[in-house]
């Protein structure tokens, strides 16, 4: 079970809710993914998203945990204010904290992120920070009160997959007891397998499912991939070797006519 601020979650997939062709397609994808947590951007949807109230109705009917996010925020005060509004609207202390620092890569402004996390944790929020794979930043976020870390594996929406597996591996090794959720940049199920095989606790993704030709089917494919990667990690995988090792023991000699 995934333990996120004391809430036990069976699914290791978190799903974003943006960019689906319709609320009905979104609902299908959420059901097929078996996710128990969806992220919702208060700013995007409240700013008059295409389907207005229908979107919030669907989310409510799905009966999943809502993890509001501060997507689109570029500074500490904007992120803190958005988090407070989200707490009022969704009645949860959870907040996925995004403070964007660069327009091209949408990478987090890690300095503002740490500061916003410190303020929000001090006000009773349970912060899920969208961060880079930098270990020093990760330490600062933990010191600021975060109990979960969400490192990117590639820029949001890029579908590029893990660009730096060794940094993610180091992160797992440095923080064996902190729930680590890879957030952003996952493009295909094999990418999710790769990060779960490193021992990550979960994956958050959006674009790869919402943008698929068949979002519901892709959501299910990701759910299976995440389970496979997780089971593989738990089963204890072999380390790659440079030299061959015969897989069939040679006993005696083969006899050919
Ligand atoms: C949905 C969410 O909260 C984001 O962090 C992000 O959109 C996920 O990234 P991808 O869209 O690249 O999966």
């Amino acid at each position: 079970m995934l333990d996120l601020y004391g809430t036990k979650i069976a699914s290791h997939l978190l799903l974003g809710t943006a960019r689906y062709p319709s609320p009905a397609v979104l609902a299908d994808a959420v059901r097929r993914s078996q996710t128990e947590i969806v992220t919702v951007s208060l700013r995007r949807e409240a700013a008059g998203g295409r389907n207005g109230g229908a979107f919030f109705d669907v989310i409510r009917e799905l009966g999943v945990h809502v993890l509001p996010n501060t997507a689109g925020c570029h500074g500490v005060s904007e992120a803190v204010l958005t988090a407070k509004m989200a707490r009022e609207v969704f009645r949860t202390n959870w907040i996925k904290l995004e403070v964007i620092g660069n327009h091209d890569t949408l990478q987090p402004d890690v300095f503002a992120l740490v500061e916003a996390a410190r303020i929000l944790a001090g006000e009773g929020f349970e912060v899920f920070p969208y961060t880079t794979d930098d270990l020093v930043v990760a330490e600062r976020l933990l010191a600021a009160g975060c109990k979960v870390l969400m490192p990117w594996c590639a820029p949001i929406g890029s579908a590029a997959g893990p660009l730096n597996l060794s940094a993610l591996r180091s992160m797992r090794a440095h923080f064996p007891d902190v729930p680590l959720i890879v957030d952003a940049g996952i493009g295909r199920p094999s990418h999710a397998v790769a990060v779960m095989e490193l021992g990550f606790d979960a994956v958050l993704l959006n674009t790869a499912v919402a943008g698929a030709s068949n979002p519901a089917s892709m959501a299910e494919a990701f759910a299976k991939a995440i389970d496979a990667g997780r089971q593989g990690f738990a089963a204890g995988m072999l380390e790659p070797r440079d030299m061959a090792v015969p897989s069939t023991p040679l006993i005696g000699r083969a006899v050919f006519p």
Side-chain angles (χ1 to χ4, degrees):
M1 282 289 223
L2 192 54
D3 184 339
L4 300 173
Y5 288 100
T7 299
K8 302 279 194 294
I9 303 289
S11 167
H12 294 255
L13 168 59
L14 288 72
L15 206 56
T17 54
R19 298 186 184 280
Y20 287 81
S22 70
V25 174
L26 162 65
D28 268 358
V30 169
R31 285 191 201 101
R32 292 270 292 276
S33 73
Q34 295 187 22
T35 186
E36 291 162 49
I37 302 177
V38 296
T39 62
V40 173
S41 165
L42 179 66
R43 291 183 87 216
R44 191 183 294 122
E45 301 305 334
R50 318 128 284 166
N51 297 293
F55 172 83
F56 288 109
D57 290 345
V58 165
I59 298 293
R60 223 170 286 122
E61 283 159 18
L62 285 166
V64 289
H65 294 276
V66 171
L67 174 56
N69 70 38
T70 62
C73 293
H74 287 79
V76 175
S77 52
E78 189 183 16
V80 168
L81 181 63
T82 303
K84 288 180 178 172
M85 286 164 57
R87 175 153 72 178
E88 292 299 310
V89 172
F90 296 106
R91 308 210 169 279
T92 174
N93 285 329
W94 284 5
I95 189 73
K96 204 204 112 183
L97 184 59
E98 283 186 36
V99 188
I100 299 301
N102 181 280
H103 286 290
D104 293 327
T105 59
L106 297 181
Q107 69 192 85
D109 174 340
V110 294
F111 305 99
L113 178 71
V114 171
E115 176 60 5
R118 192 186 58 72
I119 294 168
L120 291 170
E123 298 199 18
F125 282 87
E126 295 171 329
V127 181
F128 295 65
Y130 161 63
T131 183
T132 62
D133 50 26
D134 187 299
L135 296 183
V136 180
V137 174
E139 292 283 9
R140 297 282 196 279
L141 287 166
L142 296 175
C146 298
K147 295 188 170 21
V148 174
L149 297 172
M150 304 185 83
W152 70 348
C153 78
I156 292 174
S158 68
L163 298 179
N164 193 344
L165 273 176
S166 80
L168 292 177
R169 191 178 290 115
S170 302
M171 201 160 197
R172 180 69 286 175
H174 273 74
F175 304 108
D177 302 321
V178 177
L180 297 181
I181 303 173
V182 167
D183 173 14
I186 295 279
R188 45 186 70 187
S190 58
H191 297 157
V193 174
V195 297
M196 293 305 287
E197 284 179 351
L198 294 179
F200 273 72
D201 296 283
V203 169
L204 164 55
L205 57 94
N206 188 155
T207 307
V209 168
S213 308
N214 184 336
S217 182
M218 186 61 82
E220 185 178 327
F222 269 107
K224 289 176 177 167
I226 286 165
D227 282 349
R230 195 172 121 73
Q231 189 172 353
F233 174 75
M237 291 176 295
L238 300 185
E239 286 305 317
R241 300 164 178 244
D242 292 329
M243 306 300 283
V245 180
S247 51
T248 308
L250 293 176
I251 300 170
R253 302 179 71 161
V255 179
F256 295 102

